[in-house]
Amino acid sequence: MGKGRRKTMHLSKMYSLRRSGFEDDHSQIGGPGFSRVVYCNEMSGSEGITQNYADNYVRLTKYTPFTFLPKSLFEQFRRVANFYFLVTGILAFTALAPYSAVSAVIPLIIVVGATMVKEGIEDWQRQQQDHEVNNRKVKVHRGGGVFESSQWKKLRVGDVVKVEKDEFFPADLLLISSSYDDAICYVETMNLDGETNLKLKQSLDVTSLINEDSKFNSFKATVRCEDPNASLYTFVGTMQFQEQRHALSPQQLLLRDSKLRNTDYIYGVVIFTGHDTKVIQNSTDPPSKRSKIEKRTDSIIYFLFFVLFLMAFVGSVYFGITTRDDLDGDRMKRWYLGPDRSEIFFDPKRAPMAAIYHFLTAVMLYSYLIPISLYVSIEVVKVLQTLFINNDVDMYYEEADKPAHARTSNLTEELGQIDTILSDKTGTLTCNSMEFIKCSVAGTAYGRHVTEVERAMAKRTGSPLLMNGDGNDDNSHLSVKGYNFEDERITNRRWVHEPHSDVIQKFFRLLAICHTAIPDVDEDTRNVTYEAESPDEAAFVIAARELGFEFYKRTQTSVSFMEFDPKSMKNVERSYELLNILEFNSARKRMSVIVRDEEGKLLLLCKGADSVMFERLSKEGRQFEENTREHVNEYAQAGLRTLILAYRELSDEEYKEFNEKFTEAKNSVSAERDDMMSEVTDEIEKDLILLGATAVEDKLQKGVPECIDKLAQAGIKIWVLTGDKMETIRLEAINIGFACSLLRQGMKQIVITLESPEIVAAEKAGDKSVIAKVSENSVKKQISAGKAQLDASRSEAHALIIDGKSLVYALNDDTKNAFLELAVGCASVICCRSSPKQKALVTRLVKEGTGKTTLAIGDGANDVGMLQEADIGIGISGVEGMQAVMSSDIAIAQFRFLERLLLVHGHWSYRRISSMICYFFYKNIVFGTTVFLYEGYAAFSGQPAYNDWYLSLYNVFFTSFPVIALGVFDQDVSARFCLKFPLLYQEGVQNTLFGWRRIFSWMLNGLCSGVIIFFLCTRALDPESYDKNGKTAGMEIVGATMYTCVVWVVNCQMALAVSYFTLIQHVFIWGGIVLWYLFLLAYGSLSVSISTSAYKVFVETLAPAPTYWLVTLFVVIAALIPYFCFKAIKMRFFPGYHGMVQWIRHEGHTEDPDYCNMVRQRSIRATTVGFTARSIARDNNLYNLERQ
């Protein structure tokens, strides 16, 4: 049996757990979409396999060992540039080639091979993660009541498994029994929906007694259910067991990747495996994401192809006409070409064919206009940029030992162009924990500590508020998780001296009793910990314990706790008989328990939202109402979640009548069951006596408000998409908005919700078509009203808050554009109770509707669709669950690291990649221009200006390393200035560094440099004697001299463009030039059959000639003067964002607060969120009031 069973817990007798009847959707079983048949505990395993059900192996990799080579080659040659070089490489083996085949093919092999190696390494890392998950162990029934450990990947549909406490479910399981007698279990679904509160599941009664290993020897059943689908919250099926058919519901389904908590073990039957499981069905294949810069680079490549073919066409037409006119009778104009004995290439009688052949030759010759090493250089730079991200100690979370991890290197520059962030809340902005921080009892407010909202505002304004509480941003000073309460009036048993000590006693007794938490007492230390269904409940019982009311035991019929007795001045044990639990749900907005105390009194203890609790108070129970309401409002403004606590005494007759009605309603299987239960509970939850209110803080992660403030200053819009329950929509959205600085006082709120009386009435009527129509019309009206409000006050900041039900209709095709227009016009947007699919749809709407770069950030499996849909997905590597991380592009441990990731690494990466690509095209246009002009100089005869290996190695060796150094190491400003002036980030959002204007300006610069190099070299060398012997410069001398000037110019141009020099950049820039001279020496020393026109050209001809050195010097200076003048004028009179910051640093204004604020505030618009903007808005309001 393993662990001992908990035999005292029949919670199903207290909870109103629903038992599904066939009146639900079970009539569909066997029809389309409901055809799955599972034979449980079949040892042969043949049934599930013969029906071709998926195995439990999950693969998230892009390649397999068999598909890597063909798929990777396809990926490489899908790029038009690589395909073009493949074609020219093939043509190089023909007589048309102006260079040798080897010199054309080797660079292509190097470039494609390097990229394939990089792809292989990244996919191998993903395969390692798959291997870890697929090889986890679980106990599987192997017959004879024996359970053996087996790997997850070997599970089959129908297998019976045993999952123990704190283990993940390996597949979608049907719950058979558990360690509790009534077969309940607690499940944590944070991997699925991001929530840490525990969900209660319960098996069918008929299988609850199959609760030991040996009892599965004879267990046989047949399950017929729905086919695999993505719905996490529905399940329809039946179980044929002991010749009877039983209805199944989501209450019996345990989903893969959720975790068993507070239950020693469960037995379950595998229903869905592998890619059929609901969590995998909710995820999509990892999309092939490409950055906007890469897409624009493709467009530039296409443009250069157009230019290349145009040049080849013009040259071929000219060549054809000149060839046709070569023979003038018996006289040959170009006698040296031998047109009278030529075969096609220069045959005047076949001039059209000669032109066509020349076109093919020119297409190969001008290929150097296209940078063959561009893509592989970008890949290398991006990989190195990801290493900087991974090794940034400022993004390392020491507490969890988790650094940042870039899982793909394709999108680093996109980090510098984010326009909108779409964030999950639970576990992303918050710590997944609640802290009891304040309370109001008998009209008196207790609790000294300040909240995140109060702390953020106090820091900005310099308020002394921090002196009244803890001014720390972390919780390292807390000795008890979930408890952040301090007030000397009631701590340490001093509450007995308060004026209303009896009310205080009842208040904390209620907290110790009115809940569904399960205590876990350590046998050695006797310390009590709690497993609760929600973080709120855990915070309440912990607070009660810390204040002297320690709940320590729960049985089927009782709740026991220790409390301090004011009369005896000792701790005494209290035990209350637990009669009923009236559960919390979205309609009731409250929870109650009915207990009998030790004196025999019947008590109803109730806690709930203020919107439903105040109206249920009796006339005699409103003594503290006014003060309590005031305190609740103050708590809400401070970003706290509040609940009202009240109680009443019941008579025996009243309770007996209620219990009969409640039991009847609970056991009903009709469609009106919920309404019947609600009606019964409404009758007894009235005439309450108010005790007070609690206030808990949904604790934000460290640095969240500051991070959001900086991102807002950078001009980034922030949307929060939360899956929180409907009952907390308005209050929770607004509280978290204020706490995160997404909302501020004075910001107008546009709330879209479906809570109008008309819709409530339609829902009670139950006509789905009417509900849909009324709801859709209501959402359209609210969107129109919101747009009107927005248009009427464009200068003011607005916040949009919308719930999940409204979002369904807002995302309809005929409504979504209006909704997007409204949302984009608001400073912040908060979407509540969003399903995983809705999160993905909202992300797609923003991405496609605005055309701007989007970033999604989340920590749970429910965020996977959103992460994959966004241009960049950021996974929070939280304490539990890696589903979001495994589907993300970059993983970080805390939301606050997003500030450095975007404002520093994003800005640097965008600037580096943009400058690098522009420089790549510049240097290739310089080189291609000289090749084109020389061929024109040679009458478009297909004669290259340079030796074959000069041509091939230009992009691969002599000019590639400096540009890689630029892409890896260059910094326009330091990390400190990136954070100090978020304004810099707007360069990426506005794409100022990679717009068409800047791209064409670099191309024009390359064209000018190429023209200057060609004409100065040819004019300087052509008519004059080259050396002291009076020899003129031949083609090999002109070519080598011109090539030398090109290498010098493009490398010196790099030196002018670099903002931040490192030793590596010096080595690469000047080393590229030195490498050219060394190559001339080495290559020229080879035999003439190998070196051809380069044979000893440097040693014997170039080096001894002063003309060579003088021409190089003056040509380089002349080619660089235009760019130098342009840059100097622009920097002095028209500086960009980074230029302004560089001037601040240059002129020594970095510590001048007024000067820095003047520059910084250029990024803060009237609608920007964050506490900086909040403070500015408040100051502006005060200024306007003073003027009035």
Side-chain angles (χ1 to χ4, degrees):
M1 208 175 125
K3 295 183 181 180
R5 289 175 52 74
R6 305 188 180 192
K7 297 184 178 181
T8 58
M9 301 298 292
H10 287 278
L11 297 184
S12 58
K13 297 181 180 180
M14 295 181 292
Y15 283 98
S16 52
L17 296 170
R18 178 160 189 173
R19 303 292 191 180
S20 295
F22 287 100
E23 293 81 6
D24 296 323
D25 298 319
H26 296 87
S27 60
Q28 305 173 69
I29 298 299
F34 297 86
S35 60
R36 194 174 189 86
V37 180
V38 178
Y39 298 95
C40 305
N41 208 26
E42 293 288 344
M43 291 303 103
S44 64
S46 60
E47 302 288 357
I49 295 173
T50 56
Q51 296 183 58
N52 295 319
Y53 292 149
D55 60 26
N56 206 38
Y57 185 89
V58 173
R59 182 174 68 85
L60 299 176
T61 57
K62 187 177 182 181
Y63 305 107
T64 67
F66 302 103
T67 63
F68 174 73
L69 190 61
K71 284 184 72 173
S72 183
L73 284 173
F74 173 76
E75 287 289 332
Q76 297 310 310
F77 291 113
R78 189 170 64 171
R79 286 174 169 168
V80 65
N82 287 348
F83 181 74
Y84 165 73
F85 286 113
L86 176 65
V87 173
T88 57
I90 294 171
L91 289 175
F93 289 92
T94 68
L96 297 170
Y99 40 66
S100 65
V102 175
S103 66
V105 171
I106 286 181
L108 180 64
I109 292 174
I110 293 173
V111 168
V112 171
T115 309
M116 288 176 65
V117 168
K118 176 254 181 188
E119 287 278 327
I121 292 173
E122 285 190 349
D123 208 56
W124 178 79
Q125 292 173 342
R126 286 191 287 267
Q127 193 273 336
Q128 293 298 103
Q129 293 176 336
D130 289 346
H131 179 79
E132 188 275 326
V133 171
N134 289 314
N135 286 280
R136 290 176 181 172
K137 296 295 183 68
V138 67
K139 291 182 179 179
V140 184
H141 185 228
R142 295 305 185 194
V146 176
F147 282 76
E148 297 177 354
S149 289
S150 176
Q151 295 170 326
W152 279 23
K153 64 183 179 183
K154 294 181 180 179
L155 288 182
R156 294 292 181 266
V157 172
D159 283 350
V160 175
V161 299
K162 182 179 183 180
V163 179
E164 298 184 337
K165 185 177 180 180
D166 293 331
E167 290 182 348
F168 288 100
F169 299 123
D172 288 352
L173 308 178
L174 183 68
L175 179 60
I176 299 299
S177 61
S178 78
S179 56
Y180 291 107
D181 279 352
D182 50 357
I184 65 163
C185 70
Y186 289 92
V187 176
E188 184 183 272
T189 60
M190 192 176 73
N191 245 4
L192 307 180
D193 53 23
E195 295 183 5
T196 56
N197 53 301
L198 304 182
K199 311 294 190 300
L200 190 68
K201 301 285 186 176
Q202 185 172 30
S203 76
L204 297 175
D205 286 338
V206 292
T207 63
S208 62
L209 296 179
I210 310 174
N211 48 30
E212 297 179 13
D213 291 2
S214 59
K215 294 183 179 179
F216 282 91
N217 184 35
S218 58
F219 171 69
K220 290 286 186 292
T222 302
V223 174
R224 289 176 170 82
C225 65
E226 62 187 27
D227 294 335
N229 60 74
S231 177
L232 293 172
Y233 307 112
T234 62
F235 178 71
V236 177
T238 62
M239 172 186 278
Q240 190 79 23
F241 180 61
Q242 295 178 345
E243 299 183 355
Q244 290 190 356
R245 194 157 60 113
H246 307 274
L248 301 173
S249 73
Q251 197 66 40
Q252 288 85 48
L253 190 67
L254 307 175
L255 300 181
R256 178 188 172 114
D257 280 346
S258 51
K259 178 185 278 191
L260 183 65
R261 297 297 297 273
N262 198 48
T263 309
D264 292 337
Y265 59 85
I266 63 98
Y267 294 100
V269 173
V270 177
I271 301 296
F272 299 118
T273 49
H275 290 272
D276 285 348
T277 57
K278 289 181 179 286
V279 66
I280 303 296
Q281 289 274 315
N282 264 278
S283 64
T284 57
D285 291 333
S288 181
K289 294 182 180 181
R290 299 184 69 214
S291 69
K292 289 181 171 59
I293 285 183
E294 190 174 346
K295 292 175 184 177
R296 179 158 289 185
T297 301
D298 289 345
S299 301
I300 302 170
I301 294 289
Y302 293 138
F303 171 75
L304 290 180
F305 273 124
F306 170 75
V307 173
L308 185 154
F309 284 108
L310 181 63
M311 290 163 54
F313 177 76
V314 171
S316 299
V317 170
Y318 178 86
F319 177 77
I321 294 172
T322 306
T323 300
R324 186 191 63 190
D325 297 338
D326 256 356
L327 280 176
D328 185 8
D330 294 332
R331 188 171 67 86
M332 294 179 289
K333 293 181 179 179
R334 296 186 295 179
W335 55 267
Y336 51 85
L337 294 177
D340 56 333
R341 58 182 183 276
S342 175
E343 296 179 0
I344 299 181
F345 289 110
F346 301 102
D347 187 355
K349 298 176 182 178
R350 304 176 67 183
M353 285 303 299
I356 292 173
Y357 282 122
H358 175 272
F359 178 80
L360 295 175
T361 300
V363 165
M364 287 188 280
L365 182 61
Y366 301 155
S367 65
Y368 299 99
L369 196 66
I370 310 298
I372 186 173
S373 61
L374 171 62
Y375 285 111
V376 71
S377 298
I378 292 175
E379 297 284 355
V380 170
V381 166
K382 288 184 176 181
V383 168
L384 294 175
Q385 287 177 347
T386 60
L387 291 179
F388 288 153
I389 292 173
N390 295 346
N391 292 281
D392 189 340
V393 295
D394 290 323
M395 293 196 295
Y396 170 70
Y397 188 43
E398 187 175 1
E399 187 175 316
D401 189 26
K402 290 182 179 178
H405 176 54
R407 302 183 68 254
T408 177
S409 60
N410 293 337
L411 304 168
T412 53
E413 72 274 22
E414 289 275 83
L415 292 171
Q417 295 182 279
I418 303 301
D419 178 77
T420 304
I421 294 174
L422 300 104
S423 174
D424 177 43
K425 182 189 77 71
T426 307
T428 303
L429 298 176
T430 67
C431 298
N432 269 342
S433 65
M434 298 288 180
E435 289 184 357
F436 186 91
I437 191 169
K438 297 176 188 287
C439 64
S440 171
V441 188
T444 303
Y446 296 98
R448 306 292 193 191
H449 285 161
V450 295
T451 66
E452 293 283 356
V453 171
E454 294 168 328
R455 185 177 296 120
M457 281 300 296
K459 279 187 176 181
R460 187 64 195 170
T461 59
S463 166
L465 172 64
L466 288 177
M467 303 304 294
N468 297 330
D470 58 295
N472 301 322
D473 287 332
D474 57 36
N475 295 326
S476 58
H477 65 290
L478 295 181
S479 58
V480 180
K481 182 181 179 181
Y483 180 74
N484 191 17
F485 182 83
E486 183 179 319
D487 196 313
E488 67 284 353
R489 291 174 293 174
I490 59 174
T491 54
N492 298 322
R493 304 175 179 175
R494 295 194 187 99
W495 59 267
V496 297
H497 304 299
E498 286 294 287
H500 296 283
S501 59
D502 58 328
V503 179
I504 295 175
Q505 184 181 42
K506 292 175 182 176
F507 182 90
F508 289 110
R509 274 183 182 173
L510 191 151
L511 288 183
I513 298 171
C514 184
H515 56 77
T516 58
I518 304 294
D520 188 2
V521 182
D522 189 293
E523 294 181 359
D524 297 326
T525 64
R526 306 305 298 171
N527 291 333
V528 183
T529 57
Y530 304 106
E531 293 285 355
E533 289 192 31
S534 71
D536 306 62
E537 285 210 336
F540 293 146
V541 290
I542 289 171
R545 181 191 67 195
E546 294 302 310
L547 291 168
F549 297 78
E550 184 179 36
F551 163 62
Y552 69 91
K553 183 179 179 182
R554 177 189 292 277
T555 69
Q556 174 189 345
T557 58
S558 68
V559 172
S560 301
F561 60 95
M562 299 289 293
E563 73 170 18
F564 178 70
D565 182 19
K567 295 179 180 178
S568 63
M569 301 300 287
K570 295 180 181 178
N571 285 335
V572 296
E573 179 180 337
R574 307 287 189 197
S575 183
Y576 283 29
E577 183 182 356
L578 183 58
L579 301 175
N580 298 94
I581 298 177
L582 312 183
E583 298 170 74
F584 195 101
N585 62 42
S586 59
R588 286 166 39 75
K589 300 183 182 180
R590 62 191 181 277
M591 174 207 173
S592 300
V593 296
I594 299 177
V595 295
R596 190 187 301 273
D597 68 11
E598 295 173 334
E599 298 174 359
K601 291 181 182 177
L602 284 169
L603 302 173
L604 181 142
L605 309 179
C606 186
K607 62 184 182 185
D610 56 353
S611 59
V612 297
M613 291 294 289
F614 283 124
E615 65 188 30
R616 297 183 174 276
L617 299 178
S618 65
K619 291 182 180 180
E620 297 77 16
R622 298 178 180 271
Q623 180 183 353
F624 314 115
E625 181 182 5
E626 185 177 348
N627 288 345
T628 304
R629 281 184 182 272
E630 184 179 331
H631 295 153
V632 166
N633 291 334
E634 290 174 0
Y635 297 156
Q637 290 175 7
L640 299 175
R641 299 177 64 165
T642 60
L643 285 180
I644 305 300
L645 274 58
Y647 80 102
R648 65 169 294 201
E649 292 187 16
L650 303 175
S651 65
D652 289 337
E653 295 76 16
E654 189 177 9
Y655 172 71
K656 182 178 179 182
E657 182 182 352
F658 158 78
N659 196 42
E660 289 175 356
K661 292 180 179 179
F662 182 72
T663 303
E664 181 183 352
K666 185 173 68 171
N667 295 332
S668 171
V669 294
S670 68
E672 291 78 28
R673 174 182 181 272
D674 290 340
D675 290 337
M676 291 170 60
M677 290 186 60
S678 178
E679 189 176 323
V680 173
T681 55
D682 280 349
E683 291 179 4
I684 200 165
E685 291 173 324
K686 60 183 182 181
D687 298 330
L688 302 175
I689 299 172
L690 179 64
L691 295 174
T694 60
V696 295
E697 185 175 18
D698 191 354
K699 199 67 177 177
L700 293 177
Q701 289 183 11
K702 178 184 176 182
V704 166
E706 293 82 0
C707 175
I708 288 178
D709 182 56
K710 274 286 172 61
L711 297 176
Q713 288 184 54
I716 300 173
K717 304 178 186 70
I718 301 171
W719 294 29
V720 173
L721 311 178
T722 174
D724 279 348
K725 294 180 180 180
M726 191 68 71
E727 58 265 20
T728 59
I729 281 176
R730 285 289 302 275
L731 184 60
E732 175 66 6
I734 293 170
N735 286 352
I736 200 68
F738 276 106
C740 295
S741 300
L742 290 173
L743 303 178
R744 65 171 187 258
Q745 297 296 335
M747 180 181 282
K748 296 189 175 181
Q749 296 171 14
I750 300 173
V751 181
I752 300 177
T753 184
L754 292 177
E755 294 182 352
S756 66
E758 182 183 8
I759 294 170
V760 172
E763 288 177 343
K764 286 185 177 180
D767 190 330
K768 292 184 178 180
S769 61
V770 174
I771 295 172
K773 186 175 181 179
V774 172
S775 299
E776 184 175 5
N777 290 336
S778 175
V779 170
K780 286 181 178 179
K781 288 179 182 178
Q782 291 180 73
I783 290 175
S784 299
K787 288 172 65 179
Q789 181 179 340
L790 197 65
D791 293 336
S793 52
R794 281 284 180 185
S795 61
E796 298 184 21
H798 291 77
L800 175 63
I801 302 168
I802 182 170
D803 63 39
K805 285 165 60 177
S806 305
L807 204 54
V808 171
Y809 303 100
L811 293 174
N812 286 345
D813 290 339
D814 58 340
T815 317
K816 64 182 182 182
N817 290 331
F819 168 66
L820 179 64
E821 184 182 345
L822 171 63
V824 168
C826 294
S828 61
V829 180
I830 301 175
C831 302
C832 307
R833 196 52 171 170
S834 308
S835 67
K837 185 176 181 180
Q838 283 180 327
K839 290 183 177 183
L841 289 175
V842 170
T843 304
R844 181 186 300 173
L845 176 64
V846 176
K847 181 177 72 172
E848 296 178 353
T850 64
K852 301 293 182 65
T853 307
T854 58
L855 178 148
I857 180 169
D859 71 318
N862 62 322
D863 302 315
V864 167
M866 176 174 73
L867 300 184
Q868 293 182 342
E869 190 63 53
D871 293 298
I872 296 183
I874 306 291
I876 299 289
S877 50
V879 178
E880 302 285 351
M882 296 295 288
Q883 192 74 22
V885 168
M886 290 176 68
S887 301
S888 66
D889 302 305
I890 299 174
I892 56 178
Q894 294 269 286
F895 183 89
R896 59 190 163 96
F897 297 144
L898 199 60
E899 176 186 344
R900 185 172 179 86
L901 182 66
L902 299 188
L903 301 189
V904 177
H905 291 284
H907 172 72
W908 282 348
S909 297
Y910 166 74
R911 185 172 186 82
R912 289 165 176 170
I913 292 290
S914 300
S915 300
M916 170 188 173
I917 295 174
C918 287
Y919 177 81
F920 244 110
F921 289 120
Y922 158 81
K923 73 183 184 65
N924 275 70
I925 287 174
V926 172
F927 191 62
T929 299
T930 60
V931 171
F932 174 74
L933 291 175
Y934 186 87
E935 205 221 355
Y937 187 68
F940 291 102
S941 59
Q943 177 62 50
Y946 310 116
N947 180 278
D948 293 356
W949 286 101
Y950 295 0
L951 292 168
S952 297
L953 299 181
Y954 175 78
N955 273 316
V956 178
F957 286 110
F958 302 134
T959 59
S960 281
F961 294 116
V963 77
I964 290 175
L966 170 74
V968 175
F969 298 108
D970 195 35
Q971 295 178 15
D972 55 338
V973 296
S974 66
R976 184 171 69 90
F977 280 95
C978 286
L979 297 173
K980 189 171 184 177
F981 298 98
L983 168 77
L984 287 168
Y985 193 80
Q986 279 296 304
E987 288 184 332
V989 177
Q990 298 174 15
N991 200 22
T992 58
L993 302 182
F994 205 64
W996 287 111
R997 181 177 177 181
R998 190 166 192 265
I999 292 166
F1000 282 120
S1001 68
W1002 271 98
M1003 289 183 175
L1004 180 62
N1005 184 25
L1007 180 64
C1008 291
S1009 297
V1011 169
I1012 290 171
I1013 291 170
F1014 173 78
F1015 283 106
L1016 287 184
C1017 285
T1018 54
R1019 290 294 178 267
L1021 299 176
D1022 192 18
E1024 305 294 336
S1025 60
Y1026 185 73
D1027 57 19
K1028 60 184 179 180
N1029 297 322
K1031 291 183 179 180
T1032 57
M1035 183 188 72
E1036 69 283 354
I1037 293 174
V1038 173
T1041 304
M1042 198 155 55
Y1043 196 95
T1044 301
C1045 292
V1046 168
V1047 171
W1048 267 97
V1049 167
V1050 298
N1051 281 282
C1052 289
Q1053 171 69 67
M1054 168 66 70
L1056 290 176
V1058 166
S1059 300
Y1060 177 74
F1061 268 104
T1062 63
L1063 176 62
I1064 294 177
Q1065 284 168 311
H1066 281 296
V1067 169
F1068 282 174
I1069 291 174
W1070 313 122
I1073 297 172
V1074 172
L1075 184 63
W1076 158 242
Y1077 287 116
L1078 293 176
F1079 172 78
L1080 269 180
L1081 284 170
Y1083 184 53
S1085 65
L1086 300 177
S1087 66
V1088 69
S1089 61
I1090 298 174
S1091 59
T1092 61
S1093 62
Y1095 181 69
K1096 293 188 177 180
V1097 69
F1098 183 70
V1099 175
E1100 295 184 355
T1101 309
L1102 298 180
T1107 307
Y1108 170 73
W1109 302 103
L1110 288 172
V1111 167
T1112 300
L1113 176 63
F1114 285 109
V1115 169
V1116 170
I1117 293 173
L1120 293 175
I1121 282 176
Y1123 173 81
F1124 183 82
C1125 294
F1126 169 79
K1127 185 176 181 181
I1129 292 170
K1130 183 180 179 183
M1131 186 66 181
R1132 187 65 190 176
F1133 300 106
F1134 310 102
Y1137 292 137
H1138 71 282
M1140 289 187 288
V1141 177
Q1142 286 173 337
W1143 273 115
I1144 289 175
R1145 183 180 61 188
H1146 176 71
E1147 295 181 351
H1149 291 304
T1150 57
E1151 303 304 324
D1152 184 342
D1154 293 334
Y1155 195 87
C1156 291
N1157 283 334
M1158 180 184 70
V1159 175
R1160 189 185 296 116
Q1161 287 182 21
R1162 289 187 58 172
S1163 67
I1164 302 176
R1165 305 182 305 277
T1167 55
T1168 299
V1169 298
F1171 52 75
T1172 297
R1174 180 191 296 168
S1175 177
I1176 291 170
R1178 188 194 64 251
D1179 293 344
N1180 289 340
N1181 289 335
L1182 292 175
Y1183 174 72
N1184 292 333
L1185 287 172
E1186 287 174 2
R1187 291 189 63 187
Q1188 292 173 8

